[in-house]
Amino acid sequence: MEPPVRLASTGTIIHGVSVGEVLGVSTLAEARLIAGESGLGRIVQRLNVMEVPDILAWVKPHELLLTTGYPLRNTPQSLGRLVADLDERGLAALAIKLGRYVDELPGEMAEQADRLGFPLILLPNDVGFDDILNQVLTDILNRQAAVLARAEEAHRALVQVVLAGGGLREVTAEVAHLLDVSVAAVDGTGRVLASAGPAEHLAALRTSIAGEGPPAGTGRSRAYASVPVLAGGHHHGRIVAHSPSGEIRDSDVGILERAATVAALVVTRQEAVNAVESKYRADFLRDVLTGRAGAAERVTTRARAFGWDLARPVTVLVAELDPEGDERSAQDRLVACWTAAVRRHDQRGAVAGFSHEVVAVVDAALDATRVAKDAASAFAEVPPATFSTGTSRPSPGAETLPEAYSQALKAARVGRQLHGPGAVAHFDQLGVYRLLSLVNDTEELHAFVRETLGPLASDDDAENADLRRTLQALLETNLNVAETARRLHFHYNTLRYRIGKLERLLGNFTDDPHLRLNLTLALHVLRMRGI
């Protein structure tokens, strides 16, 4: 589980010294721990003096509470529950002078301190509270100043990495050097983007990232720590650290948080660069596919600068989002899925996102359907959006790419009309639809439909669609009345009646093969409506 994001500093002391270290100062040389030894690691961030019986209303977490027992002189019975009350409020320890107002501590109090790991300290009578306060507070403030100075030094070093043009690799290397730990920058999916540190320690870190190791610890020190990388309200991943000695302290986590802020700057900077580069790539590929990019040699040379090889035989694929869903977010995801799929199958392939589609140009020797299915598999992980894909004939070079693009675009749109959303269609497999799609004058096609089908060309009458379905089945069975009746679940006489009605509307198509051909083509064109 990741630790919460810490708030910006407000000047409050956030670092301190352990109870064990407090006992090591010179003014407490004669002090004696009488119970709660397991709590010596508790952190002291402030000190307080018990002057009133109702002290619980005035204490704060991580305090070392000093007392002579004077407020308790008349109520010694309250000592029995004092330890539990102080522990519940998060105090670090209780230090008391005996002999003046309280002669001895009840055994129950010491037993409770041992059970809770709450240190009870017996103070020497010749040491003043002011000396203890001055010395311990000085140590705490010196520790705070040292930690802040170290954090500031780390911040300057990390900012310098960014100013020098460094990326996540340089950021993780700097953090590994500063903290003497292994460090990794991880994206939102758990993929390691960059790492630094000894190889054997990195292996343990990767195991932890994969969810197979212990979670990030809490308290003063731990072996693992993880902080989120946040920018623009988005979660971009994590900075994760591992120390085999288990010495990642709270102050180290503060440096990791600064590293996460710098990593967020690196990520957003890279996203801005990628967006500009993506626009240049898309603009260039659009010019190539529309024949506006210039001579083939110029196209090949410029494509090479993007890492694309357009001089070899290639296939063009067009992926169009099917209607429905949040088009903007789906389009961004479509581009990402296709980019990843093309990179897996063809490192020199070109891919770019246009306003409503993604176009890929890949090696003609590849199985284009497999590339499309690979992209569709990744895209389907976040339903319900789908896309249809069209594939062109092989293109021998850059000069024929505009024609190949047109073929792929038609294949995508015709394939969706014929097979529904999510279709993958090759231009050569469209059959008669391929020929019809080559007719640029769609108004002429629609006029042909109206002339051939007459009143059946429209859906003004609810019966028209039913009659067209009957006509389609008759033509597909080569006028086999028995087979058509079986397919449509009609009685034989009902079908004979419908054939008579169709011939009154369309002509004697049962005896005229040319009319049957025209009717078949008209039904095909009608099925392609909207292409």
Side-chain angles (χ1 to χ4, degrees):
M1 180 177 178
E2 294 182 4
V5 180
R6 287 148 53 128
L7 299 177
S9 173
T10 59
T12 303
I13 292 178
I14 59 174
H15 301 287
V17 295
S18 68
V19 175
E21 290 172 317
V22 168
L23 289 173
V25 301
S26 59
T27 54
L28 294 177
E30 302 299 323
R32 182 166 58 89
L33 181 72
I34 56 178
E37 183 178 1
S38 62
L40 288 177
R42 293 187 180 218
I43 300 301
V44 178
Q45 293 179 345
R46 52 179 68 85
L47 287 86
N48 199 354
V49 177
M50 186 175 181
E51 297 177 331
V52 292
D54 58 340
I55 189 64
L56 296 177
W58 308 99
V59 296
K60 295 180 176 65
H62 302 295
E63 277 187 347
L64 170 60
L65 185 62
L66 308 175
T67 184
T68 60
Y70 179 78
L72 304 171
R73 68 190 187 284
N74 297 323
T75 55
Q77 68 275 10
S78 62
L79 286 170
R81 62 175 180 273
L82 181 61
V83 167
D85 291 337
L86 295 178
D87 178 72
E88 184 179 348
R89 285 159 177 77
L91 267 72
L94 173 65
I96 188 169
K97 287 185 178 182
L98 295 178
R100 298 185 63 182
Y101 304 106
V102 176
D103 293 329
E104 62 180 6
L105 299 178
E108 177 191 352
M109 189 174 182
E111 291 174 4
Q112 199 169 55
D114 281 329
R115 186 174 69 255
L116 296 174
F118 185 86
L120 283 180
I121 301 169
L122 180 61
L123 295 174
N125 287 322
D126 59 347
V127 177
F129 283 175
D130 58 337
D131 293 330
I132 298 174
L133 290 168
N134 286 335
Q135 191 167 20
V136 175
L137 280 176
T138 297
D139 283 358
I140 291 174
L141 292 174
N142 286 342
R143 178 71 58 85
Q144 171 95 351
V147 168
L148 292 177
R150 180 169 176 252
E152 185 62 28
E153 178 186 355
H155 181 72
R156 284 198 300 269
L158 291 167
V159 170
Q160 188 58 40
V161 167
V162 177
L163 294 177
L168 292 176
R169 180 179 300 176
E170 288 74 18
V171 169
T172 54
E174 186 66 30
V175 175
H177 171 71
L178 288 168
L179 302 183
D180 193 25
V181 295
S182 57
V183 182
V186 184
D187 67 10
T189 65
R191 182 169 60 96
V192 176
L193 303 175
S195 59
E200 62 274 16
H201 299 164
L202 283 175
L205 180 60
R206 290 177 184 273
T207 300
S208 173
I209 292 170
E212 301 169 7
T218 58
R220 186 161 181 266
S221 63
R222 70 215 80 189
Y224 294 88
S226 171
V227 296
V229 177
L230 303 172
H234 298 289
H235 194 297
H236 293 279
R238 297 173 290 149
I239 296 291
V240 188
H242 166 58
S243 171
S245 63
E247 286 297 321
I248 299 180
R249 295 161 295 187
D250 285 342
S251 59
D252 296 334
V253 174
I255 292 177
L256 287 176
E257 288 168 352
R258 292 176 182 249
T261 301
V262 173
L265 292 175
V266 172
V267 170
T268 52
R269 180 188 65 187
Q270 189 59 48
E271 285 182 346
V273 171
N274 290 343
V276 173
E277 290 181 349
S278 178
K279 182 180 184 305
Y280 278 122
R281 285 195 297 267
D283 288 346
F284 171 64
L285 188 57
R286 184 183 288 106
D287 288 343
V288 171
L289 298 176
T290 55
R292 299 197 303 265
E297 184 177 349
R298 180 175 180 273
V299 169
T300 301
T301 302
R302 193 172 171 193
R304 195 175 295 117
F306 289 114
W308 301 342
D309 183 0
L310 301 184
R312 57 184 174 163
V314 293
T315 300
V316 177
L317 295 96
V318 171
E320 276 194 329
L321 282 172
D322 296 321
E324 294 177 1
D326 183 351
E327 185 172 332
R328 181 66 265 168
S329 62
Q331 177 69 13
D332 292 341
R333 191 156 48 88
L334 184 66
V335 174
C337 291
W338 269 93
T339 300
V342 170
R343 290 292 167 267
R344 282 192 291 270
H345 292 274
D346 185 2
Q347 289 289 333
R348 296 181 298 163
V351 59
F354 298 163
S355 57
H356 299 290
E357 65 194 40
V358 174
V359 180
V361 183
V362 299
D363 191 340
L366 285 176
D367 183 350
T369 301
R370 184 179 176 188
V371 178
K373 289 182 177 179
D374 191 359
S377 176
F379 191 75
E381 291 179 2
V382 186
T386 58
F387 63 87
S388 297
T389 307
T391 306
S392 74
R393 292 170 174 168
S395 171
E399 63 278 356
T400 58
L401 282 175
E403 181 183 354
Y405 171 61
S406 177
Q407 293 171 357
L409 191 60
K410 288 173 181 175
R413 294 177 179 177
V414 173
R416 180 190 295 116
Q417 290 294 113
L418 298 180
H419 308 297
V424 179
H426 193 288
F427 185 72
D428 281 343
Q429 297 172 346
L430 298 180
V432 69
Y433 296 102
R434 184 180 81 219
L435 299 177
L436 294 173
S437 70
L438 295 175
V439 179
N440 294 323
D441 189 350
T442 56
E443 183 55 39
E444 186 65 30
L445 285 174
H446 293 157
F448 171 75
V449 171
R450 290 192 297 271
E451 293 167 4
T452 306
L453 294 179
L456 296 186
S458 70
D459 288 327
D460 295 339
D461 190 329
E463 188 183 16
N464 287 349
D466 196 30
L467 288 173
R468 285 199 305 268
R469 187 167 61 253
T470 301
L471 177 61
Q472 180 78 44
L474 281 167
L475 295 173
E476 288 177 353
T477 61
N478 198 25
L479 302 182
N480 187 323
V481 178
E483 174 61 20
T484 302
R486 186 191 64 79
R487 183 180 298 186
L488 297 178
H489 307 289
F490 287 163
H491 189 275
Y492 184 85
N493 291 335
T494 301
L495 183 57
R496 295 301 307 180
Y497 167 77
R498 287 192 169 219
I499 292 173
K501 188 171 184 177
L502 285 169
E503 289 198 315
R504 287 193 296 273
L505 291 170
L506 306 174
N508 189 19
F509 65 88
T510 57
D511 294 326
D512 187 344
H514 296 291
L515 179 55
R516 288 200 298 274
L517 176 59
N518 288 343
L519 290 171
T520 301
L521 289 174
L523 289 173
H524 284 326
V525 172
L526 196 61
R527 192 176 181 187
M528 291 172 62
R529 182 182 297 166
I531 298 175

